[in-house]
Amino acid sequence: MSTREINAGLRGLPDGASARIVAPRGRHNLAVGLENRITVEIEGNAGYFIGGLCDGPDVVVDGFVGWSVGENLMSGTVRVRGNASECAGASAHGGTVVVEGDASSRAGISLKGGTVLVGGDVGHMSGFMAQAGVLLVGGNAGHALGDSLYETVIYVGGRIASLGSDARVEDLTDDDVLTVKGLADRAGFDHVDPANVTRVASARELYNFDALSHQRY
Amino acid sequence: MCGIVGLHLKNPRLYPRLGELLVPMLDSMSSRGPDSAGVALYDGDTMVVVKDVGRPAEICARHGIADRGGFRGIGHTRMATESAVTTQHSHPFAPLPDMAVVHNGSFSNHVMVRRRLERYGITCETDNDTEVAARFIGYQVAGGADLADAMRMVLKELDGFFTLLVTTSTQFAVLRDSFACKPAVIAETDDYVAVASEYHALAALPGIGDARVFEPVPEEVYTWTL
């Protein structure tokens, strides 16, 4: 079956249905652009953009994925039981991307309100220009974390190699601990101690939204 | 775009199957590079470069690549962005008799580096950016540098985005630029090391299910020696 046929087949399923994709062999664009509330299991390693542009379904990959898993996700979940390559959850407006292993560089880049939960490490420039939403990293973060950050908040369980421009470490509040506990529970990350994560947010010295649109931002 | 593949065989029993294993890898990178393609194959003491214009699968069939054996091969599928689509502009480039270079990405200061190489007596045959990088690496190695050091010099002297795969008669080396702008994935088993721009080029290799699959980190030269 072509990828187009697979996605058309998934799109035609009624809410509540479930589907399995076997032997994906690294194929790109599986389970993309779905708006129904179905469950899709991908049994094996998959390629780029898995679960991207979706607005509703729950997608699980039992393997690793390539670039941009869950890109521009609107709602629903994409769970990867292995590692993810670059740009995991890029530009996600809503929904949740869970990577149980490591995610490569630029995880959560330009996040717009979605939630990206990584059990392991993330690579360099993760959270780059992220505007809204949350990025939780259970392991270590690479260089230039949160560079040019807007209003996304990043929590890191392990070490941070370096912060990017305009990103700063802030005190962890009780609300943060509750938030992280909720996120770790959702993801099933037993190894994340909500009271012992580092909160990274924007120092707000780089961006000037309020200079536009009559200061109504 | 462009796609790169490489297969470094550790198990001599696979040597007769080099071409048979490499061709599907190259074919699966056609979507990244449909306009021309090429391979460099190492068999015994010789390196053979075959490159041509057209679809990668057609080029492989035309030149009987699947029937060729050897201990190591690299390949490239090209989507030209900065110079003409001709056989001469296609990869791999061979700056030394036993060295082949394939590149996914682009260099922005290749004109300056080309001019500098000319002062050292090194001339390029085309206006292709990758040829400059290949001749630069070849020049360093011919001057006595270790291959890994020569590739690190690319980080200092050339501006651009790249995943580079460079082979000599004894070494197989991979390097990504400082930002890891271009993709690369490596699979290693007891029998082989395989590199490709995208995982699905590796998905049909024997024993891939048990391979250690990883992404090379930026600025680190990965080498395997025969």
Side-chain angles (χ1 to χ4, degrees):
Chain A
M1 283 175 88
S2 71
T3 303
R4 190 176 288 268
E5 287 168 337
I6 291 169
N7 285 332
L10 293 173
R11 206 167 294 135
L13 293 173
D15 285 353
S18 59
R20 285 190 311 143
I21 298 171
V22 296
R25 298 176 76 165
R27 196 190 288 218
H28 302 325
N29 305 322
L30 293 169
V32 162
L34 307 176
E35 295 178 319
N36 39 3
R37 296 197 60 84
I38 60 172
T39 303
V40 182
E41 283 183 55
I42 299 174
E43 297 183 355
N45 304 320
Y48 291 8
F49 306 115
I50 302 304
L53 298 166
C54 280
D55 194 0
D58 295 316
V59 179
V60 179
V61 183
D62 194 9
F64 56 72
V65 294
W67 286 38
S68 299
V69 61
E71 188 189 56
N72 216 91
L73 191 67
M74 301 304 287
S75 72
T77 62
V78 181
R79 178 179 286 270
V80 180
R81 298 212 187 278
N83 298 330
S85 183
E86 301 195 15
C87 303
S91 200
H93 290 245
T96 304
V97 176
V98 181
V99 178
E100 296 186 2
D102 298 328
S104 183
S105 54
R106 296 178 272 269
I109 182 172
S110 195
L111 200 61
K112 291 179 169 65
T115 302
V116 178
L117 310 172
V118 180
D121 302 338
V122 295
H124 65 275
M125 298 201 81
S126 289
F128 178 54
M129 294 188 79
Q131 294 132 57
V134 183
L135 170 63
L136 169 65
V137 181
N140 302 324
H143 284 289
L145 179 70
D147 192 282
S148 308
L149 199 56
Y150 292 96
E151 292 302 307
T152 291
V153 175
I154 305 173
Y155 299 104
V156 182
R159 296 184 308 278
I160 298 170
S162 67
L163 293 172
S165 297
D166 210 33
R168 69 180 183 192
V169 171
E170 295 183 344
D171 291 340
L172 200 67
T173 66
D174 291 344
D175 281 351
D176 287 321
V177 175
L178 274 177
T179 299
V180 173
K181 184 176 185 322
L183 295 172
D185 286 349
R186 259 161 73 191
F189 294 164
D190 299 338
H191 61 292
V192 175
D193 176 1
N196 278 302
V197 297
T198 305
R199 176 190 158 101
V200 175
S202 175
R204 299 176 178 172
E205 288 174 5
L206 265 185
Y207 74 86
N208 293 286
F209 271 359
D210 58 357
L212 300 168
S213 196
H214 310 292
Q215 315 252 336
R216 278 185 292 179
Y217 284 105
Chain B
M1 269 289 201
C2 297
I4 60 175
V5 297
L7 187 58
H8 169 85
L9 298 176
K10 301 179 190 175
N11 184 344
R13 277 189 311 217
L14 288 175
Y15 289 1
R17 296 181 59 197
L18 176 69
E20 172 201 330
L21 295 171
L22 195 65
V23 168
M25 292 172 68
L26 198 71
D27 185 28
S28 70
M29 289 294 97
S30 296
S31 55
R32 295 187 67 91
D35 65 45
S36 39
V39 295
L41 304 171
Y42 291 78
D43 189 10
D45 295 332
T46 57
M47 178 190 81
V48 177
V49 174
V50 177
K51 51 190 188 177
D52 206 339
V53 172
R55 298 284 297 180
E58 290 164 12
I59 293 167
C60 289
R62 199 180 303 148
H63 296 279
I65 304 301
D67 299 328
R68 291 173 181 256
F71 61 90
R72 188 189 299 126
I74 63 172
H76 185 269
T77 61
R78 183 162 185 248
M79 185 183 287
T81 52
E82 51 66 60
S83 59
V85 177
T86 74
T87 299
Q88 290 72 29
H89 285 83
S90 305
H91 306 210
F93 288 96
L96 299 176
D98 78 327
M99 180 184 283
V101 177
V102 290
H103 167 218
N104 175 199
S106 60
F107 292 107
S108 51
N109 67 335
H110 60 98
V111 174
M112 285 166 59
V113 178
R114 178 183 285 111
R115 213 176 290 145
R116 201 179 321 145
L117 286 171
E118 281 168 2
R119 287 205 293 274
Y120 306 144
I122 305 295
T123 52
C124 293
E125 291 168 2
T126 71
D127 57 348
N128 180 280
D129 59 341
T130 303
E131 186 184 357
V132 176
R135 303 237 173 248
F136 177 84
I137 295 166
Y139 174 69
Q140 302 295 336
V141 169
D146 172 73
L147 176 61
D149 286 339
M151 289 173 73
R152 278 182 210 103
M153 290 286 283
V154 172
L155 290 166
K156 293 180 187 298
E157 301 293 332
L158 281 133
D159 290 335
F161 306 131
F162 54 86
T163 297
L164 281 170
L165 176 53
V166 184
T167 47
T168 67
S169 57
T170 56
Q171 284 193 296
F172 180 85
V174 180
L175 172 66
R176 294 175 83 193
D177 68 69
S178 308
F179 295 92
C181 281
K182 292 294 172 183
V185 59
I186 299 176
E188 181 163 18
T189 72
D190 290 343
D191 291 336
Y192 59 80
V193 179
V195 180
S197 299
E198 299 174 12
Y199 170 75
H200 65 101
L202 310 176
L205 286 171
I208 190 70
D210 299 320
R212 186 172 77 94
V213 179
F214 63 99
E215 213 171 53
V217 301
E219 293 190 350
E220 187 165 325
V221 182
Y222 295 77
T223 56
W224 287 266
T225 303
L226 193 66

